[in-house]
Amino acid sequence: MPNSSVEQELFPLSWVAQYGYCPRRCGLLGLEQLWAENAETASGRSQHARVHTARQERRGDTLFLYETDVFSHVLGISGKCDCIEAHADPTGVPLPYAEGTFRLYPIEYKHGVVRDEEEYLMQLCAQAMCLEERFSCAITEGAIFYIDSHRRFPVELNAALREKTIETARSIRTMLEAQKLPQAKYSAKCKKCSLMELCQPKLKRSAEAYCGKLWQLAEEAE
């Protein structure tokens, strides 16, 4: 497990999904502070902005919590849950938002077409683990909601998914502590990545090192 010390600096929960998609992409974000938009990322950001504002809604026995801040010192992450459905349940846990006890059901919103992406499942699982740590409860299921298709898919938060999420958080922590950018591995995913031009995944590592040395010498000359 990552270091559970409360003094540990927490990294963004969204990096779990970024690392799951591509470790180098996560490294460019976390170590190099690089970002670039393409049509897909801009569309996703726009859709999230339209549907998400921090608020609470009550519908019958269910409380809907949007854009809720969450964190986990065990995983070493902090971020937001797109939506938490809190269902009134006598076996549930108390919340600071309303009287009674509730069973928590996290929902992660995604834009685009429905697709099976493991990094989405890990992001949802990380959110659930944050809630479990905060409220001392057990969450066995959540869901991914695809905005474009208005379809929701339940996700079992089983032991295998939890272990993969923990391993990913550990790998991110190791990367940050080592301050070492992961090697690029070109794949079909690269064509959809907004950071492809910055990453240069087809560039030979020897050429990359040579260019980096030239850049360093140029900076020293100045």
Side-chain angles (χ1 to χ4, degrees), residues 37-203:
E37 290 239 273
N38 59 14
E40 186 170 348
T41 60
S43 174
R45 182 169 51 81
S46 175
Q47 286 183 333
H48 270 75
R50 287 199 302 270
V51 300
H52 296 314
T53 55
R55 66 188 190 279
Q56 303 170 21
E57 297 178 4
R58 188 72 182 253
R59 304 173 200 167
D61 291 333
T62 302
L63 184 65
F64 295 83
L65 309 172
Y66 295 95
E67 288 291 278
T68 302
D69 291 321
V70 294
F71 62 87
S72 168
H73 289 301
V74 175
L75 292 175
I77 61 177
S78 67
K80 293 181 181 292
C81 283
D82 287 341
C83 177
I84 303 168
E85 287 184 358
H87 302 273
D89 189 326
T91 64
V93 294
L95 298 176
Y97 319 106
E99 294 183 358
T101 55
F102 300 84
R103 174 173 46 86
L104 305 183
Y105 193 90
I107 303 173
E108 171 64 18
Y109 284 68
K110 293 299 180 185
H111 77 288
V113 298
V114 175
R115 53 198 185 277
D116 183 17
E117 303 285 1
E118 185 180 44
E119 60 266 23
Y120 292 174
L121 307 185
M122 289 193 296
Q123 186 175 7
L124 176 68
C125 185
Q127 293 171 8
M129 294 175 73
C130 286
L131 294 172
E132 289 176 333
E133 185 175 326
R134 178 178 177 184
F135 295 108
S136 299
C137 63
I139 301 175
T140 59
E141 185 178 294
I144 305 291
F145 180 81
Y146 290 91
I147 299 171
D148 289 348
S149 60
H150 298 282
R151 297 178 65 184
R152 185 163 104 170
F153 290 84
V155 177
E156 180 187 357
L157 305 174
N158 55 35
L161 179 57
R162 289 171 183 270
E163 182 58 33
K164 181 66 176 178
T165 303
I166 292 170
E167 289 177 1
T168 299
R170 182 188 297 120
S171 295
I172 296 171
R173 177 62 57 191
T174 299
M175 178 191 72
L176 294 174
E177 292 177 348
Q179 290 289 295
K180 184 176 181 181
L181 186 66
Q183 292 264 335
K185 296 181 180 180
Y186 184 78
S187 71
K189 290 183 176 181
C190 295
K191 297 178 181 179
K192 299 186 295 182
C193 180
S194 65
L195 300 182
M196 183 173 178
E197 291 301 317
L198 297 172
C199 175
Q200 294 293 309
K202 290 186 176 181
L203 185 67

